[in-house]
Amino acid sequence: MMSAQSKLGDYVLPIKNVNPVTLFGDSDFTYVDIASIDRELRAITSPQTVPAIEAPSRAKQVTAENDVLISTVRPNLNTVAMVPKEHVGAIASTGFCLLRPVPGKLDARFLFHWISSETTVSQLVALATGATYPAVSEKIIKSLPFEPPSFFEQRRMMVPHDVVYEDFARDGV
């Protein structure tokens, strides 16, 4: 009996949509949309501060540290970023597929490099629909074939070459 090929969705947690007004009342919040990402740096560089009562309709995903954001529109542009500590609790646009790795199963840095690789971007471009405004759905992204190495190997691959291996192993990886 053949086993089904694993998919990216097997390695990430589900994300529930939220209402910024419910979370923040009449306070402001940090909003991350596609324009907030610097494509060259692949980082969140210009998030907005928005009053909750003026939240864009796409403001629905609460970020956590090391979430990986990938734009669902124009996948050829490779608009990807990893959420740093300073943007934990920000609200991301539903224009992103927010990928939160299953702890102990998928390393966020490994995921970030994989999802932004030329091979993966090419797959997404081929799967995009719409000629003038090509897009992929979250469902398509999460259904990509994905068979990562062991968690230990993922972590080892992401360690800078100047880090002593014993220090890495001591951290419980």
Side-chain angles (χ1 to χ4, degrees), residues 66-88:
N66 295 327
D67 282 350
V68 176
L69 302 171
I70 177 167
S71 174
T72 58
V73 296
R74 296 190 174 121
N76 59 304
L77 297 179
N78 200 4
T79 307
V80 178
M82 193 176 329
V83 176
K85 284 181 186 176
E86 62 265 24
H87 297 307
V88 168

Side-chain angles (χ1 to χ4, degrees), residues 4-16:
Q5 183 177 32
S6 66
K7 308 282 187 225
L8 176 58
D10 299 333
Y11 293 85
V12 296
L13 298 170
I15 305 297
K16 294 180 182 175

Side-chain angles (χ1 to χ4, degrees), residues 14 19 34-35 40 44 47 70 73 78 85-86 88 98-99 101 113 122 132 139 173:
N19 179 337
I34 294 165
E40 297 298 317
I44 300 168
I70 177 167
V73 296
N78 200 4
K85 284 181 186 176
E86 62 265 24
V88 168
L98 190 153
L99 300 171
H113 287 285
S122 294
T132 57
K139 183 177 180 180
V173 179

Side-chain angles (χ1 to χ4, degrees), residues 125-142:
V125 168
L127 294 168
T129 58
T132 57
Y133 199 67
V136 291
S137 67
E138 180 176 322
K139 183 177 180 180
I140 288 172
I141 293 170
K142 290 182 177 180

Side-chain angles (χ1 to χ4, degrees), residues 8-67:
L8 176 58
D10 299 333
Y11 293 85
V12 296
L13 298 170
I15 305 297
K16 294 180 182 175
N17 283 345
V18 299
N19 179 337
V21 174
T22 303
L23 288 179
F24 302 103
D26 58 0
S27 298
D28 294 349
F29 70 95
T30 300
Y31 178 55
V32 178
D33 65 359
I34 294 165
S36 304
I37 306 295
D38 182 310
R39 287 191 358 248
E40 297 298 317
L41 297 174
R42 292 194 178 137
I44 300 168
T45 58
S46 54
Q48 303 169 44
T49 300
V50 177
I53 58 173
E54 296 176 18
S57 62
R58 291 186 144 239
K60 298 208 180 286
Q61 304 181 99
V62 178
T63 62
E65 185 174 8
N66 295 327
D67 282 350

Side-chain angles (χ1 to χ4, degrees), residues 81-145:
M82 193 176 329
V83 176
K85 284 181 186 176
E86 62 265 24
H87 297 307
V88 168
I91 304 296
S93 167
T94 55
F96 291 113
C97 177
L98 190 153
L99 300 171
R100 184 168 296 150
V102 172
K105 193 172 180 181
L106 180 59
D107 181 79
R109 295 165 301 166
F110 181 87
L111 171 61
F112 175 78
H113 287 285
W114 181 83
I115 202 77
S116 60
S117 71
E118 186 176 317
T119 301
T120 304
V121 171
S122 294
Q123 285 180 311
L124 292 172
V125 168
L127 294 168
T129 58
T132 57
Y133 199 67
V136 291
S137 67
E138 180 176 322
K139 183 177 180 180
I140 288 172
I141 293 170
K142 290 182 177 180
S143 69
L144 290 173

